Amino acid sequence: MNLAFLCRWKLEDGLTVSTVTPYLQFLVDFPNITKIILITLEDAPQDSSNAAVCTLINNRKVKWMPLTTSRHQSKILGKIADYRNGCKQLKKIAIDNDVHVVVAHGAPAGSVANKALKGMSIPYYVTLFEPHADYMHESGVWSKYGLKYRLQKRWEYLQKKHATGLMPVSECFRNKLIEEGVPSQKVFVIPSSVNAVAFEVNEQHRLDMRRQLHWKNAVIGIYVGKFGGLYYNREAFQIYRLCFKLIPDFRLIILSPQPREEIVTQLKNFELNLSWIHINSVPHGQVPAFLSAADFAFATYKPGPSKKYLSPVKIGEYWANGLPVLLTEGVGDDSDIIKKEGGGALFNLQEEGSVEKAIRQILEILENPQHRQEIPELAQKYRSPERLKEAFEYFFGKAKEEGADR
C-alpha cells in the first residue's frame, strides 16, 4: 500500500516535529505500507536540522515532496492560491505515485484532501480532526461572518461526510461527532502523543541549565508556545505577574517562536523584572532540557465551548517531564483529568481569586517529593503513541479489505 501523508506546515515547524514525527515513526514500520509520500508546505524547501525528522525522511520508504507556498502580497489571496495548488498537486502526486490512501494531518489539510480526491477511488483519513473554524472564531481570530470561517466550516462538514476515517484528539469531540450523525465506526480518538523517553526529566540538564541561568534555588515556571490566537496574550502576563507576587524567588522561562521584542514589550508593560525572565526560541529537541530545569508549566489557552475538544501537545510534554500544569479550565480531556487525577491546577479568569487558588495548588504539588515521578504516569496513560498503532491497525485493516473488493 502506498500512502500520502499531507501536512500543511513546514518540515521544520515545531508542530510538525512534535505531532507528525510520531505518526511517521509508526507508519514506516507498518507492514502493509510500501511507500510514504510526505507532503509539507514550505517557503523554501530545505533539509531539517532535527535528527528524528532527518532519519524519517531519509528512510527508504519515505519520499518527501515539499510544496512551495504562494508569494502573493495579499495574505488571503495567498492562502487561496496555496489551497488550489495543494489540491492540484495532491491529485497529481496521488496519480503519479499510485497512492492507495491519503492521511491528511488536521482539518485544514483534510479540506485539501477532500477536494483533490473527489471522484477518485482513494480513501482519505483526517488526523488531529478538530473544529478548527470554531477555535479561530472563539479566539477572536476569525469573524463568524468572514470568508475564512465560512469556508473552513463548510470543509469540516464535507470531511465528516466523505472521509473514510476521522481521528479527533479528545473523547469529548468523538461524542459530539457521533451526536451529529457521524457513524461511530468512522471515529477513533488519538490524543496528541508524546515520546515519554525523550521528554523525561534529566537531572544533569536541570543542574546545568539552572547554573547557566544563575537560578539554582529558584522556583521556575515555564511556558512553551505563542501568545495570542488560541492563547491568552495580555492575560498570560497578568498571570506571570501574580506568580512573581505569590511565589518566593519565582523565575520564568518563555520559549516562543514569536519575536523577542514583542514579548519584552509585554513584560515591560506589566513592569516585570527582565533579569528574572529567560526568553528563547529553540529547536524542539532542546525543549526537554528547559523543561527539566523548570518546576511547573503554563498552558494559558483562551476559553470557549470548542476548547474542550483540544489535546494540546505541550501538556503531554509537560506531563512526561513531571511538571504540574497551570491550565485554563475547560481545555480538552486534560481539564477533567487534572480534576480527577491531578497533574496540575485549573484556573478561570472569570472567577475572582481563581488564579491565586490554582497557584497555591501548584505549590502544594511541588511539596510532594514524588510528584516528578508520579506525573509522567499521566503522559503514559493518556498520551502514549500506542494509540496511533491501535488507530491505524483499525482503519488500515478496513482500507485493505475495501481495496481488495475494488
Side-chain angles (χ1 to χ4, degrees):
M1 177 170 67
N2 297 332
L3 178 146
F5 194 103
L6 177 64
C7 171
R8 302 293 282 172
W9 302 320
K10 300 175 186 177
L11 188 67
E12 280 283 86
D13 193 292
L15 283 172
T16 305
V17 176
S18 61
T19 68
V20 173
T21 301
Y23 284 84
L24 293 181
Q25 285 173 333
F26 167 70
L27 290 171
V28 294
D29 293 326
F30 198 82
N32 294 340
I33 295 177
T34 306
K35 181 167 66 174
I36 300 169
I37 298 95
L38 172 62
I39 306 165
T40 61
L41 194 59
E42 309 289 337
D43 293 334
Q46 57 183 350
D47 292 337
S48 174
S49 60
N50 181 274
V53 173
C54 287
T55 299
L56 285 168
I57 63 175
N58 289 322
N59 187 284
R60 63 178 181 80
K61 278 190 177 183
V62 179
K63 182 180 181 181
W64 178 40
M65 299 189 69
L67 304 183
T68 305
T69 56
S70 168
R71 298 183 181 276
H72 204 288
Q73 291 183 342
S74 166
K75 193 171 182 180
I76 183 69
L77 292 179
K79 292 288 185 182
I80 293 172
D82 287 341
Y83 171 76
R84 288 176 173 172
N85 184 55
C87 295
K88 177 182 176 181
Q89 292 300 321
L90 177 59
K91 186 171 185 176
K92 184 177 187 302
I93 288 169
I95 294 171
D96 292 348
N97 292 273
D98 190 24
V99 167
H100 304 108
V101 62
V102 171
V103 175
H105 198 58
S111 65
V112 174
N114 183 79
K115 176 72 172 178
L117 302 176
K118 188 175 181 179
M120 302 176 72
S121 57
I122 300 176
Y124 76 90
Y125 301 81
V126 187
T127 60
L128 295 188
F129 187 70
E130 301 168 311
H132 185 75
D134 288 337
Y135 286 171
M136 302 302 280
H137 166 61
E138 289 174 10
S139 300
V141 180
W142 291 354
S143 165
K144 198 168 186 177
Y145 305 102
L147 181 62
K148 289 182 181 179
Y149 177 86
R150 289 187 286 123
L151 284 175
Q152 185 59 40
K153 196 74 172 176
R154 172 65 179 171
W155 288 335
E156 288 168 18
Y157 165 78
L158 292 174
Q159 290 169 63
K160 295 173 190 177
K161 185 176 180 181
H162 298 299
T164 303
L166 300 173
M167 304 175 214
V169 295
S170 74
E171 291 291 341
C172 287
F173 197 41
R174 176 185 184 276
N175 295 336
K176 179 174 173 58
L177 290 171
I178 294 171
E179 288 173 5
E180 291 177 350
V182 177
S184 60
Q185 64 269 25
K186 281 182 57 169
V187 187
F188 199 106
V189 176
I190 309 179
S192 299
S193 62
V194 62
N195 184 333
V197 174
F199 275 86
E200 67 184 1
V201 63
N202 183 303
E203 287 299 330
Q204 190 59 53
H205 287 165
R206 178 176 175 83
L207 291 172
D208 292 344
M209 188 68 68
R210 285 173 162 256
R211 190 180 299 115
Q212 179 182 329
L213 295 171
H214 304 291
W215 295 346
K216 185 177 179 181
N217 298 312
V219 176
I220 300 177
I222 188 168
Y223 176 68
V224 182
K226 299 178 181 179
F227 298 95
L230 296 178
Y231 313 96
Y232 276 133
N233 192 357
R234 288 181 54 83
E235 297 88 345
F237 294 89
Q238 290 173 334
I239 292 171
Y240 301 153
R241 185 167 62 180
L242 263 179
C243 288
F244 279 106
K245 179 180 177 182
L246 298 176
I247 302 174
D249 205 22
F250 176 69
R251 298 293 184 268
L252 175 64
I253 295 173
I254 297 174
L255 301 182
S256 177
Q258 288 184 227
R260 178 186 175 87
E261 57 271 20
E262 293 180 7
I263 298 171
V264 169
T265 297
Q266 286 282 46
L267 294 170
K268 288 180 177 179
N269 287 341
F270 287 92
E271 300 179 344
L272 297 177
N273 188 334
L274 297 182
S275 66
W276 292 349
I277 301 164
H278 178 77
I279 307 166
N280 209 334
S281 177
V282 300
H284 189 254
Q286 295 180 22
V287 171
F290 285 91
L291 297 184
S292 293
D295 296 293
F296 72 97
F298 298 92
T300 44
Y301 286 82
K302 290 179 181 177
S306 70
K307 302 305 171 62
K308 61 185 175 182
Y309 307 137
L310 282 167
S311 176
V313 176
K314 60 171 62 71
I315 293 179
E317 295 173 348
Y318 292 159
W319 279 345
N321 196 264
L323 296 176
V325 183
L326 189 68
L327 173 66
T328 313
E329 187 175 49
V331 173
D333 295 332
D334 302 324
S335 184
D336 289 335
I337 291 169
I338 286 175
K339 284 181 181 178
K340 296 173 183 176
E341 302 181 48
L346 307 175
F347 68 90
N348 183 339
L349 292 186
Q350 303 306 310
E351 297 178 6
E352 187 175 351
S354 174
V355 178
E356 292 88 341
K357 180 181 177 182
I359 292 172
R360 288 193 293 270
Q361 289 174 330
I362 291 290
L363 293 177
E364 288 175 8
I365 294 172
L366 298 184
E367 290 176 0
N368 173 10
Q370 298 301 314
H371 78 275
R372 207 83 191 223
Q373 289 73 47
E374 294 171 354
I375 291 176
E377 294 175 6
L378 294 175
Q380 292 281 5
K381 183 177 180 180
Y382 294 106
R383 300 301 190 89
S384 171
E386 282 298 307
R387 194 69 173 166
L388 295 172
K389 180 179 180 181
E390 295 171 13
F392 283 118
E393 285 179 346
Y394 172 77
F395 281 128
F396 287 176
K398 289 192 173 187
K400 186 179 179 183
E401 292 166 9
E402 291 169 3
D405 292 338
R406 284 199 293 267

